[in-house]
Structures are given as C-alpha cells and as structure tokens.
Amino acid sequence: MKTLIAILLASVLSLAAFAQSQDQTPGQGTQAAPGSQSQTDTKAASGKSMSGTIGHDGKTFKSDADNKKYKVDNPDTLKGKEDQHVSIVVAVDPNTNTVHIIEVQQPQ
C-alpha cells in the first residue's frame, strides 16, 4: 500500500513539474485564437512602407497605392507635413482602418 501511494505521489509531482515547464515555453505548438492578438502585438508585428498624402488636418493619410484613406492614431508625428506627399512606415490596423506612424520620410 505504501508503495502504491509513493508511486502515485511521484506521478502527480512529475506531472505538475511537466505542466509548469510547458507554461514557460512560449509558442510551442500553440496557436492564438483569431482576434485574440493584442493591439500592441499587432503594431509591433507590422512595419509597412506606404506613400501618399497627409490630410489637411494632419489626422488622415491617403495611400497612393489604393487611394484608401486611413485615420492616423498619432497625428503629432505629422505636424508640419499637412497636405504634403510623403513616404511613411506604419503599422496598419485593418479592423479600425487606422495607421500608427513609425517613421516619416520625404518621397523618393
């Protein structure tokens, strides 16, 4: 009887240790559910180059590629560039049709 309890206890402890080590290993065999990615992760994951025109108010950007208009979530980065044609590096949030400006360059 004591042997059975010892084996059972050892099994439970090893199973708990195995489960804890799996929790500390990110991204192995797991996949996030669609839409569960945080906004920060989305922004960090993309750095898309675009060219287009900054809106008159500096809060919108119209892309040359598809004439699509985007709302700029950090318009302070565009101060002084209103109504100008620029090249930008952005993180696009397609769900809200907004862009986060990472870098602004004069078009080439």
Side-chain angles (χ1 to χ4, degrees), residues 1-89:
M1 185 70 167
K2 288 182 181 180
T3 308
L4 181 62
I5 292 174
I7 292 172
L8 196 60
L9 182 61
S11 297
V12 169
L13 290 176
S14 65
L15 183 61
F18 178 75
Q20 186 176 14
S21 71
Q22 288 291 349
D23 287 344
Q24 294 175 354
T25 311
Q28 281 190 340
T30 60
Q31 198 172 27
S36 68
Q37 195 175 25
S38 72
Q39 187 175 8
T40 305
D41 292 342
T42 303
K43 287 180 181 177
S46 62
K48 183 177 179 181
S49 295
M50 301 173 87
S51 62
T53 306
I54 305 300
H56 182 68
D57 59 0
K59 296 180 182 178
T60 58
F61 174 79
K62 185 177 179 184
S63 171
D64 287 342
D66 55 6
N67 284 335
K68 193 171 187 179
K69 196 177 249 189
Y70 296 93
K71 180 180 176 191
V72 178
D73 73 350
N74 56 340
D76 292 342
T77 59
L78 300 175
K79 207 167 225 21
K81 304 242 188 267
E82 295 86 354
D83 295 321
Q84 292 183 22
H85 189 264
V86 295
S87 293
I88 57 177
V89 178

